[in-house]
């Protein structure tokens, strides 16, 4: 996984130098461990993308195993359907279904 701390530090210094001393930004920057963390941090820095940008960038996302398990555990903890989970994380409900079939054994062992 790329070193997102270095990447985002450079982006913040170049585009948003006023945010580099914000304690919330610094804390979240040091805690970029999973793809979900990166997506949340990206929304914090740049705000929510408009509809056309979101559709184009959605195809380029990839998730590591810990992020997938975090999403599936979120679904289970909040008693959400695949559609509700997919809408919350802006991913395909078919992807959620696929992940559930692949990671079913790891999900049952985590609870």
């Amino acid at each position: 996984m790329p070193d997102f701390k270095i990447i985002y530090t450079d982006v913040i210094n170049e585009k948003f130098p006023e945010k580099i001393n914000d304690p919330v930004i610094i804390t979240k920057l040091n805690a970029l461990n999973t793809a979900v963390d990166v997506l949340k941090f990206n929304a914090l820095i740049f705000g929510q993308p408009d509809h056309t940008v979101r559709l184009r960038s959605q195809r380029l996302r990839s998730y590591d195993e810990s992020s997938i398990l975090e999403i599936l555990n979120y679904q289970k903890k909040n008693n959400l359907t695949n559609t509700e989970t997919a809408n919350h994380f802006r991913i395909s409900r078919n992807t959620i279904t696929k992940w559930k079939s692949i990671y079913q054994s790891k999900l049952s062992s985590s609870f």
Side-chain angles (χ1 to χ4, degrees):
M1 193 155 144
D3 191 352
F4 288 108
K5 181 178 178 181
I6 293 172
I7 293 168
Y8 276 106
T9 301
D10 292 344
V11 169
I12 293 169
N13 283 330
E14 186 176 317
K15 295 192 178 215
F16 307 103
E18 70 279 359
K19 291 185 178 183
I20 195 65
N21 295 323
D22 185 355
V24 173
I25 301 282
I26 293 170
T27 303
K28 293 195 183 265
L29 183 62
N30 291 326
L32 293 177
N33 297 322
T34 65
V36 173
D37 295 337
V38 172
L39 292 173
K40 289 178 184 176
F41 187 74
N42 198 47
L44 176 68
I45 296 296
F46 296 107
Q48 294 297 328
D50 66 359
H51 182 70
T52 56
V53 171
R54 193 176 335 135
L55 286 177
R56 277 187 278 138
S57 69
Q58 182 177 2
R59 293 183 184 138
L60 303 175
R61 291 184 184 170
S62 65
Y63 295 88
D64 57 343
E65 183 175 336
S66 62
S67 297
I68 293 169
L69 292 173
E70 182 179 336
I71 290 169
L72 295 176
N73 286 330
Y74 179 88
Q75 177 186 22
K76 192 170 187 177
K77 179 179 140 191
N78 293 299
N79 199 24
L80 301 175
T81 65
N82 288 353
T83 302
E84 292 169 331
T85 306
N87 288 338
H88 179 77
F89 289 101
R90 294 188 180 106
I91 53 180
S92 166
R93 61 188 172 85
N94 292 328
T95 300
I96 300 290
T97 303
K98 179 181 174 184
W99 287 348
K100 284 174 81 172
S101 67
I102 293 172
Y103 295 102
Q104 191 64 39
S105 63
K106 291 186 181 187
L107 280 175
S108 59
S109 66
S110 65
F111 283 100

